[in-house]
Short mmCIF file of all heavy atoms in Angstrom, two decimals:
data_model
loop_
_atom_site.label_atom_id
_atom_site.label_comp_id
_atom_site.label_asym_id
_atom_site.label_seq_id
_atom_site.Cartn_x
_atom_site.Cartn_y
_atom_site.Cartn_z
N ALA V 105 -26.65 23.50 6.44
CA ALA V 105 -27.81 24.20 6.90
C ALA V 105 -29.08 23.60 6.22
O ALA V 105 -30.15 23.38 6.82
CB ALA V 105 -27.76 25.71 6.62
N ALA V 106 -28.91 23.31 4.91
CA ALA V 106 -30.04 22.72 4.17
C ALA V 106 -30.43 21.38 4.67
O ALA V 106 -31.64 21.02 4.68
CB ALA V 106 -29.64 22.61 2.67
N ARG V 107 -29.46 20.59 5.19
CA ARG V 107 -29.76 19.24 5.78
C ARG V 107 -30.53 19.43 7.10
O ARG V 107 -31.49 18.64 7.35
CB ARG V 107 -28.47 18.51 5.97
CG ARG V 107 -28.05 17.71 4.78
CD ARG V 107 -26.96 16.70 5.14
NE ARG V 107 -25.80 17.25 5.82
CZ ARG V 107 -24.77 17.71 5.15
NH1 ARG V 107 -24.70 17.61 3.85
NH2 ARG V 107 -23.75 18.16 5.78
N VAL V 108 -30.24 20.48 7.84
CA VAL V 108 -30.77 20.62 9.21
C VAL V 108 -32.14 21.32 9.23
O VAL V 108 -33.03 20.99 9.99
CB VAL V 108 -29.81 21.28 10.11
CG1 VAL V 108 -30.31 21.44 11.56
CG2 VAL V 108 -28.48 20.44 10.22
N THR V 109 -32.29 22.36 8.42
CA THR V 109 -33.52 23.19 8.53
C THR V 109 -34.76 22.47 8.09
O THR V 109 -34.80 21.77 7.11
CB THR V 109 -33.40 24.50 7.72
OG1 THR V 109 -34.51 25.30 7.95
CG2 THR V 109 -33.20 24.31 6.23
N GLN V 110 -35.80 22.66 8.91
CA GLN V 110 -37.14 22.22 8.56
C GLN V 110 -37.97 23.30 7.98
O GLN V 110 -38.70 23.17 7.02
CB GLN V 110 -37.85 21.65 9.75
CG GLN V 110 -37.08 20.66 10.56
CD GLN V 110 -37.39 19.23 10.07
OE1 GLN V 110 -38.53 18.90 9.85
NE2 GLN V 110 -36.33 18.42 9.98
N SER V 111 -37.79 24.46 8.59
CA SER V 111 -38.63 25.62 8.21
C SER V 111 -38.14 26.37 7.01
O SER V 111 -38.83 27.22 6.39
CB SER V 111 -38.68 26.65 9.36
OG SER V 111 -37.43 27.17 9.57
N LYS V 112 -36.91 26.04 6.55
CA LYS V 112 -36.31 26.68 5.39
C LYS V 112 -36.05 28.17 5.62
O LYS V 112 -36.00 28.99 4.77
CB LYS V 112 -37.09 26.52 4.11
CG LYS V 112 -37.34 25.02 3.78
CD LYS V 112 -36.78 24.75 2.35
CE LYS V 112 -36.89 23.28 2.05
NZ LYS V 112 -35.64 22.77 1.55
N GLN V 113 -35.87 28.50 6.91
CA GLN V 113 -35.57 29.90 7.26
C GLN V 113 -34.25 29.84 8.14
O GLN V 113 -34.22 29.17 9.22
CB GLN V 113 -36.64 30.48 8.11
CG GLN V 113 -37.93 30.69 7.23
CD GLN V 113 -38.92 31.59 7.96
OE1 GLN V 113 -39.10 31.41 9.16
NE2 GLN V 113 -39.54 32.47 7.20
N VAL V 114 -33.24 30.46 7.63
CA VAL V 114 -31.85 30.29 8.23
C VAL V 114 -31.27 31.64 8.47
O VAL V 114 -31.29 32.52 7.56
CB VAL V 114 -31.04 29.44 7.29
CG1 VAL V 114 -29.54 29.54 7.66
CG2 VAL V 114 -31.50 28.02 7.27
N LEU V 115 -30.67 31.83 9.57
CA LEU V 115 -29.93 33.07 9.89
C LEU V 115 -28.41 32.78 9.71
O LEU V 115 -27.95 31.74 10.22
CB LEU V 115 -30.21 33.60 11.23
CG LEU V 115 -29.35 34.75 11.79
CD1 LEU V 115 -29.73 36.03 10.95
CD2 LEU V 115 -29.55 35.01 13.26
N VAL V 116 -27.69 33.62 9.07
CA VAL V 116 -26.24 33.56 8.95
C VAL V 116 -25.60 34.60 9.76
O VAL V 116 -25.91 35.84 9.51
CB VAL V 116 -25.80 33.55 7.49
CG1 VAL V 116 -24.24 33.38 7.36
CG2 VAL V 116 -26.48 32.52 6.62
N ILE V 117 -24.70 34.27 10.66
CA ILE V 117 -23.97 35.37 11.36
C ILE V 117 -22.54 35.29 10.89
O ILE V 117 -21.97 34.23 10.71
CB ILE V 117 -24.09 35.26 12.92
CG1 ILE V 117 -23.69 33.86 13.42
CG2 ILE V 117 -25.46 35.54 13.34
CD1 ILE V 117 -23.62 33.83 14.93
N ALA V 118 -21.97 36.47 10.63
CA ALA V 118 -20.59 36.49 9.97
C ALA V 118 -19.97 37.90 10.18
O ALA V 118 -20.59 38.75 10.82
CB ALA V 118 -20.75 36.16 8.55
N THR V 119 -18.82 38.11 9.49
CA THR V 119 -18.25 39.43 9.52
C THR V 119 -18.95 40.35 8.65
O THR V 119 -19.84 39.94 7.73
CB THR V 119 -16.78 39.41 9.00
OG1 THR V 119 -16.80 38.99 7.63
CG2 THR V 119 -15.92 38.42 9.83
N GLU V 120 -18.69 41.62 8.71
CA GLU V 120 -19.26 42.69 7.88
C GLU V 120 -19.08 42.37 6.36
O GLU V 120 -20.02 42.40 5.63
CB GLU V 120 -18.45 43.98 8.22
CG GLU V 120 -19.14 45.25 8.06
CD GLU V 120 -20.34 45.49 8.98
OE1 GLU V 120 -20.06 45.72 10.18
OE2 GLU V 120 -21.49 45.40 8.48
N GLY V 121 -17.81 41.91 6.05
CA GLY V 121 -17.47 41.60 4.63
C GLY V 121 -18.26 40.45 4.13
O GLY V 121 -18.85 40.53 2.99
N THR V 122 -18.39 39.37 4.86
CA THR V 122 -19.13 38.23 4.45
C THR V 122 -20.61 38.54 4.22
O THR V 122 -21.17 38.17 3.21
CB THR V 122 -18.92 37.09 5.47
OG1 THR V 122 -17.59 36.74 5.57
CG2 THR V 122 -19.72 35.81 5.08
N VAL V 123 -21.15 39.29 5.24
CA VAL V 123 -22.51 39.64 5.13
C VAL V 123 -22.79 40.52 3.93
O VAL V 123 -23.69 40.26 3.11
CB VAL V 123 -23.07 40.37 6.44
CG1 VAL V 123 -24.33 41.06 6.30
CG2 VAL V 123 -23.13 39.27 7.55
N SER V 124 -21.95 41.52 3.67
CA SER V 124 -22.27 42.41 2.54
C SER V 124 -22.02 41.77 1.17
O SER V 124 -22.59 42.23 0.20
CB SER V 124 -21.46 43.76 2.65
OG SER V 124 -20.08 43.43 2.76
N SER V 125 -21.34 40.62 1.15
CA SER V 125 -21.13 39.90 -0.11
C SER V 125 -22.43 39.10 -0.40
O SER V 125 -22.63 38.73 -1.63
CB SER V 125 -19.97 38.89 -0.07
OG SER V 125 -20.33 37.75 0.75
N HIS V 126 -23.21 38.80 0.55
CA HIS V 126 -24.42 37.97 0.42
C HIS V 126 -24.13 36.51 -0.18
O HIS V 126 -24.94 35.92 -0.75
CB HIS V 126 -25.54 38.61 -0.42
CG HIS V 126 -25.94 39.92 0.19
ND1 HIS V 126 -26.42 40.01 1.52
CD2 HIS V 126 -25.97 41.13 -0.32
CE1 HIS V 126 -26.71 41.27 1.77
NE2 HIS V 126 -26.38 42.01 0.67
N ALA V 127 -22.88 36.09 -0.01
CA ALA V 127 -22.45 34.83 -0.54
C ALA V 127 -23.29 33.65 0.06
O ALA V 127 -23.73 32.74 -0.64
CB ALA V 127 -21.01 34.57 -0.33
N TYR V 128 -23.50 33.75 1.36
CA TYR V 128 -24.29 32.70 2.04
C TYR V 128 -25.74 32.77 1.54
O TYR V 128 -26.40 31.76 1.33
CB TYR V 128 -24.20 32.83 3.57
CG TYR V 128 -23.03 32.13 4.19
CD1 TYR V 128 -21.87 32.75 4.67
CD2 TYR V 128 -23.05 30.72 4.30
CE1 TYR V 128 -20.82 32.09 5.19
CE2 TYR V 128 -22.01 30.02 4.94
CZ TYR V 128 -20.87 30.73 5.32
OH TYR V 128 -19.86 29.99 5.94
N ARG V 129 -26.29 34.05 1.49
CA ARG V 129 -27.71 34.13 1.10
C ARG V 129 -27.93 33.49 -0.25
O ARG V 129 -28.89 32.77 -0.48
CB ARG V 129 -28.09 35.62 1.14
CG ARG V 129 -29.61 35.73 1.08
CD ARG V 129 -30.07 37.11 1.41
NE ARG V 129 -29.85 38.01 0.25
CZ ARG V 129 -29.99 39.34 0.30
NH1 ARG V 129 -30.34 39.91 1.47
NH2 ARG V 129 -29.84 40.05 -0.73
N ARG V 130 -27.01 33.80 -1.19
CA ARG V 130 -27.15 33.23 -2.60
C ARG V 130 -26.99 31.73 -2.50
O ARG V 130 -27.76 31.01 -3.16
CB ARG V 130 -26.01 33.80 -3.49
CG ARG V 130 -26.29 35.17 -4.03
CD ARG V 130 -25.42 35.49 -5.22
NE ARG V 130 -23.99 35.35 -4.90
CZ ARG V 130 -23.27 36.32 -4.30
NH1 ARG V 130 -23.83 37.49 -4.03
NH2 ARG V 130 -21.99 36.14 -3.99
N ALA V 131 -26.00 31.23 -1.77
CA ALA V 131 -25.80 29.77 -1.74
C ALA V 131 -27.02 29.06 -1.11
O ALA V 131 -27.46 28.03 -1.58
CB ALA V 131 -24.58 29.43 -0.87
N LEU V 132 -27.65 29.73 -0.11
CA LEU V 132 -28.89 29.15 0.50
C LEU V 132 -30.07 29.27 -0.40
O LEU V 132 -30.91 28.39 -0.37
CB LEU V 132 -29.08 29.73 1.90
CG LEU V 132 -28.04 29.26 2.96
CD1 LEU V 132 -27.94 30.18 4.15
CD2 LEU V 132 -28.33 27.87 3.39
N ALA V 133 -30.21 30.40 -1.13
CA ALA V 133 -31.29 30.57 -2.04
C ALA V 133 -31.32 29.45 -3.10
O ALA V 133 -32.44 29.00 -3.50
CB ALA V 133 -31.21 31.94 -2.72
N THR V 134 -30.12 28.98 -3.58
CA THR V 134 -30.12 27.93 -4.56
C THR V 134 -30.61 26.64 -3.98
O THR V 134 -30.91 25.64 -4.66
CB THR V 134 -28.72 27.69 -5.20
OG1 THR V 134 -27.86 27.22 -4.17
CG2 THR V 134 -28.17 28.92 -5.82
N ARG V 135 -30.74 26.52 -2.61
CA ARG V 135 -31.25 25.40 -1.93
C ARG V 135 -32.69 25.65 -1.44
O ARG V 135 -33.15 24.96 -0.50
CB ARG V 135 -30.36 24.98 -0.79
CG ARG V 135 -28.94 24.50 -1.32
CD ARG V 135 -27.83 24.54 -0.24
NE ARG V 135 -26.59 23.96 -0.61
CZ ARG V 135 -25.65 24.66 -1.33
NH1 ARG V 135 -25.88 25.94 -1.63
NH2 ARG V 135 -24.56 24.13 -1.66
N ASP V 136 -33.30 26.68 -2.02
CA ASP V 136 -34.67 27.05 -1.65
C ASP V 136 -34.85 27.46 -0.22
O ASP V 136 -35.90 27.20 0.49
CB ASP V 136 -35.66 25.89 -1.95
CG ASP V 136 -35.83 25.70 -3.43
OD1 ASP V 136 -35.77 26.73 -4.15
OD2 ASP V 136 -36.01 24.58 -3.83
N ILE V 137 -33.85 28.15 0.35
CA ILE V 137 -33.81 28.51 1.77
C ILE V 137 -33.86 30.00 1.81
O ILE V 137 -33.14 30.67 1.10
CB ILE V 137 -32.63 27.95 2.55
CG1 ILE V 137 -32.81 26.45 2.58
CG2 ILE V 137 -32.53 28.58 3.89
CD1 ILE V 137 -31.65 25.67 3.09
N ASP V 138 -34.75 30.57 2.67
CA ASP V 138 -34.83 31.95 2.85
C ASP V 138 -33.82 32.33 3.97
O ASP V 138 -33.97 31.89 5.10
CB ASP V 138 -36.28 32.29 3.30
CG ASP V 138 -36.50 33.70 3.74
OD1 ASP V 138 -35.65 34.58 3.30
OD2 ASP V 138 -37.28 33.97 4.63
N ALA V 139 -32.78 33.05 3.58
CA ALA V 139 -31.70 33.41 4.62
C ALA V 139 -31.60 34.85 4.85
O ALA V 139 -31.80 35.67 4.01
CB ALA V 139 -30.41 32.82 4.09
N ARG V 140 -31.42 35.16 6.11
CA ARG V 140 -31.06 36.48 6.47
C ARG V 140 -29.65 36.51 7.07
O ARG V 140 -29.23 35.49 7.60
CB ARG V 140 -32.07 37.08 7.56
CG ARG V 140 -33.40 37.17 6.94
CD ARG V 140 -34.33 37.99 7.81
NE ARG V 140 -35.73 37.85 7.38
CZ ARG V 140 -36.71 38.33 8.09
NH1 ARG V 140 -36.57 38.89 9.21
NH2 ARG V 140 -37.97 38.16 7.62
N GLU V 141 -28.96 37.68 6.98
CA GLU V 141 -27.61 37.71 7.43
C GLU V 141 -27.41 38.77 8.43
O GLU V 141 -28.05 39.84 8.33
CB GLU V 141 -26.67 37.94 6.19
CG GLU V 141 -26.72 36.81 5.24
CD GLU V 141 -26.41 37.26 3.84
OE1 GLU V 141 -27.13 38.16 3.33
OE2 GLU V 141 -25.52 36.75 3.20
N LYS V 142 -26.58 38.59 9.44
CA LYS V 142 -26.37 39.52 10.48
C LYS V 142 -24.84 39.65 10.71
O LYS V 142 -24.22 38.62 11.09
CB LYS V 142 -27.09 39.11 11.73
CG LYS V 142 -26.83 39.92 12.92
CD LYS V 142 -27.52 41.25 12.89
CE LYS V 142 -27.18 42.10 14.10
NZ LYS V 142 -27.56 43.52 13.90
N ALA V 143 -24.29 40.81 10.55
CA ALA V 143 -22.90 41.01 10.89
C ALA V 143 -22.76 41.13 12.42
O ALA V 143 -23.53 41.83 13.03
CB ALA V 143 -22.38 42.25 10.16
#
Side-chain angles (χ1 to χ4, degrees):
R107 275 196 300 273
V108 176
T109 183
Q110 305 272 317
S111 67
K112 304 235 172 233
Q113 294 192 318
V114 168
L115 173 69
V116 180
I117 55 173
T119 64
E120 211 62 79
T122 301
V123 164
S124 57
S125 76
H126 301 304
Y128 272 104
R129 194 168 77 188
R130 279 197 306 276
L132 287 160
T134 64
R135 293 159 175 87
D136 290 326
I137 292 168
D138 171 27
R140 294 192 193 171
E141 297 150 303
K142 172 76 181 162

